[in-house]
Amino acid sequence: MTTRQVWFEHAALHDGVRADVLVTIDNGSIASVESGVPPGGDVEQVLGLTLPGMANAHSHAFHRALRGHTHGGAGDFWTWREQMYQVAARLTPDNYFDLARATFAEMVLAGYTCVGEFHYVHHRPDGSRYDDPNAMGAALIDAAREAGIRLTLLDACYLRGGPGTPLTPAQVRFSDGDVQAWADRVDLLVDDDDVRIGAAIHSARAVDADSIAAIANHAGRRAMPLHAHVSEQIAENEQIHGEHGCTPTALLAAAGALSPRFTAVHATHLVPTDIDALAAAGCTCCFCPTTERDLADGTGPSAELGDAGVRLALGSDQHAVIDPFEEMRAIEMNERLRSMRRGTHSAAELLMAGTANGYRSLGWDNGGAIAVGQLADLVTVSLDGVRLAGYSTDALLDAVVFAGLAADVTDVIIGGATIVRGGAHATIDVASELRRSITAVRGAAR
Ligand SMILES: [Zn+2]
């Protein structure tokens, strides 16, 4: 890729928002950043506020087919899960490629430049292998590449229905049978410039203690990011307490899973010793606020985690909403509702959760900031729309984090290439591809 220069009207740098910022991009990375440079010559100009690219640290792409179909009515996480399994049952490598490509493209339009796809639908519905045992993972990798988004494929091990409970028929396609078979399959997947392979323990419900230790070992040997769903539900804590007499976090700690490469997804129902363990090991917690509220999960202890020094990242998870601004501010807004106090998390902290912390959690340590040596992943928000009209230049970050929306994103650069310009994806008609791919999957559903 050639060297490219772009002038940004405003940009969020590490020391605050600066005006007139000239960025030089070389080979997909940022080679120089200068502020106070007037626009001029034939240098490309981008108006608005440019932020570091945002990381969606927890995604299940196929859940996008549930949006608008599962929000009404009674029930809880467990009744929702039955509806989700009906869609999971109908995925094929072909229809999943189409659905994921459209979903990832929607993410890019919203300002996500990197996604962690927590992937567990590995095999045919009866559990038998595809000819390529990674046909589903390959479909996700190809989909991300076409959508232009950076991907960490978090390949999840899923072995049982719960403590002492076998897999249900709907879960059979998630399982490799044992950890060794999971590891052998994952080892066929390789990193490249835009794709990282990571590991995941689906949850302490779905993986026994010895297998958790073996997965953690394997992830450690390959230095892979390791994610797990942790304490999303009180019932999950009760099941693990019944089996092991401890919390899911304590079980993961005892099995050697906690490390700076580990991310606890949700981390909603934690006890103080869980927070201490996550902090001591340098872990990240990935909150998914729009999902957690939709599924009536509860809200996680963001203030306590922040005080303990645990990094927070964010994910759109089931994609009831794909909007990084909504996720960022929800950390603080949920905390306000919980504590009846304002100002626990600043806009700058929330932006870190949405950007650098997510990149780090996904194994891209050089992403999520506008600085020399960082990946050239950049998102620009228009300041001309109705939501942000009247903003103050000294509180620009507050305005965008607390009042901006995905719909305000005009331009997205990923790895130095412009993927979104003027609010449109460069190669994909996203709404029509979503409609087509969701109808194909749902149409086949019972
Ligand atoms: Zn999840």
Side-chain angles (χ1 to χ4, degrees):
M1 190 178 292
T2 52
T3 300
R4 172 181 182 194
Q5 282 197 315
V6 187
W7 175 91
F8 297 100
E9 185 184 17
H10 303 280
L13 308 184
H14 65 92
D15 55 351
V17 173
R18 294 283 174 265
D20 300 322
V21 178
L22 182 66
V23 174
T24 305
I25 297 168
D26 187 23
N27 213 17
S29 294
I30 295 174
S32 73
V33 181
E34 298 169 78
S35 57
V37 180
D42 53 2
V43 173
E44 180 184 348
Q45 297 178 19
V46 178
L47 300 179
L49 171 62
T50 298
L51 305 168
M54 283 181 275
N56 192 350
H58 189 68
S59 160
H60 307 284
F62 76 91
H63 292 192
R64 177 61 182 83
L66 299 165
R67 186 190 299 172
H69 298 272
T70 62
H71 311 296
D76 56 14
F77 170 88
W78 307 99
T79 49
W80 167 85
R81 193 176 75 158
E82 289 309 310
Q83 297 174 298
M84 183 269 281
Y85 280 176
Q86 287 176 18
V87 171
R90 297 309 170 117
L91 295 172
T92 67
D94 285 346
N95 71 22
Y96 202 7
F97 165 78
D98 286 345
L99 177 57
R101 175 177 178 268
T103 303
F104 290 152
E106 182 185 353
M107 288 182 200
V108 178
L109 284 181
Y112 286 121
T113 48
C114 183
V115 60
E117 176 65 23
F118 194 109
H119 168 52
Y120 58 87
V121 187
H122 300 303
H123 306 298
R124 290 194 170 99
D126 66 359
S128 61
R129 305 304 183 250
Y130 289 104
D131 294 342
D132 169 3
N134 283 307
M136 292 296 244
L140 291 163
I141 290 170
D142 291 346
R145 214 181 294 288
E146 288 209 6
I149 199 166
R150 195 178 296 285
L151 171 71
T152 297
L153 186 71
L154 298 158
D155 194 301
C157 187
Y158 196 121
L159 298 175
R160 62 181 192 175
T165 310
L167 297 163
T168 66
Q171 294 164 340
V172 164
R173 71 182 311 189
F174 308 159
S175 176
D176 291 289
D178 59 42
V179 177
Q180 191 56 53
W182 167 83
D184 290 346
R185 184 178 52 70
V186 172
D187 279 348
L188 300 173
L189 296 163
V190 291
D191 293 350
D192 66 28
D193 285 350
D194 308 307
V195 177
R196 289 271 151 87
I197 306 303
I201 297 155
H202 179 276
S203 56
R205 280 185 290 115
V207 183
D208 61 274
D210 288 348
S211 299
I212 289 173
I215 296 165
N217 252 323
H218 192 73
R221 271 200 302 278
R222 281 188 59 180
M224 292 191 290
L226 175 63
H227 287 217
H229 292 119
V230 176
S231 295
E232 178 177 9
Q233 288 285 318
I234 288 168
E236 171 191 337
N237 285 359
E238 291 168 349
Q239 287 173 23
I240 300 308
H241 198 271
E243 183 180 27
H244 298 285
C246 67
T247 65
T249 299
L251 179 66
L252 289 159
L258 304 191
S259 81
R261 290 177 291 94
F262 181 78
T263 296
V265 178
H266 300 298
T268 306
H269 301 286
L270 300 181
V271 298
T273 50
D274 294 338
I275 294 172
D276 293 345
L278 292 164
C283 304
T284 300
C285 287
C286 180
F287 281 18
C288 306
T290 65
T291 292
E292 289 149 7
R293 72 191 188 200
D294 183 71
L295 298 182
D297 288 340
T299 62
S302 67
E304 291 86 340
L305 287 166
D307 288 346
V310 177
R311 275 178 295 270
L312 294 181
L314 288 161
S316 67
D317 191 0
Q318 63 143 333
H319 315 311
V321 172
I322 291 182
D323 188 328
F325 303 92
E326 189 69 21
E327 305 291 350
M328 282 193 287
R329 63 177 158 264
I331 294 179
E332 166 65 11
M333 293 305 167
N334 287 350
E335 189 57 38
R336 290 182 188 187
L337 291 171
R338 197 171 73 109
S339 65
M340 294 181 284
R341 268 199 316 273
R342 308 178 84 213
T344 301
H345 304 284
S346 69
E349 279 176 55
L350 299 173
L351 185 66
M352 281 289 284
T355 57
N357 292 356
Y359 269 79
R360 189 181 171 286
S361 149
L362 296 175
W364 302 91
D365 291 359
N366 59 337
I370 304 176
V372 173
Q374 293 277 302
L375 296 166
D377 295 357
L378 303 156
V379 173
T380 304
V381 177
S382 165
L383 302 173
D384 294 334
V386 291
R387 275 172 295 280
L388 298 170
Y391 67 86
S392 147
T393 45
D394 18 342
L396 205 42
L397 202 55
D398 282 357
V400 168
V401 169
F402 288 108
L405 282 182
D408 296 313
V409 170
T410 56
D411 292 72
V412 178
I413 293 173
I414 302 177
T418 294
I419 309 296
V420 174
R421 177 170 279 144
H425 195 282
T427 56
I428 299 174
D429 178 344
V430 181
S432 112
E433 288 300 312
L434 282 166
R435 197 178 311 118
R436 187 178 66 78
S437 60
I438 290 169
T439 304
V441 168
R442 293 199 68 86
R446 277 187 287 269

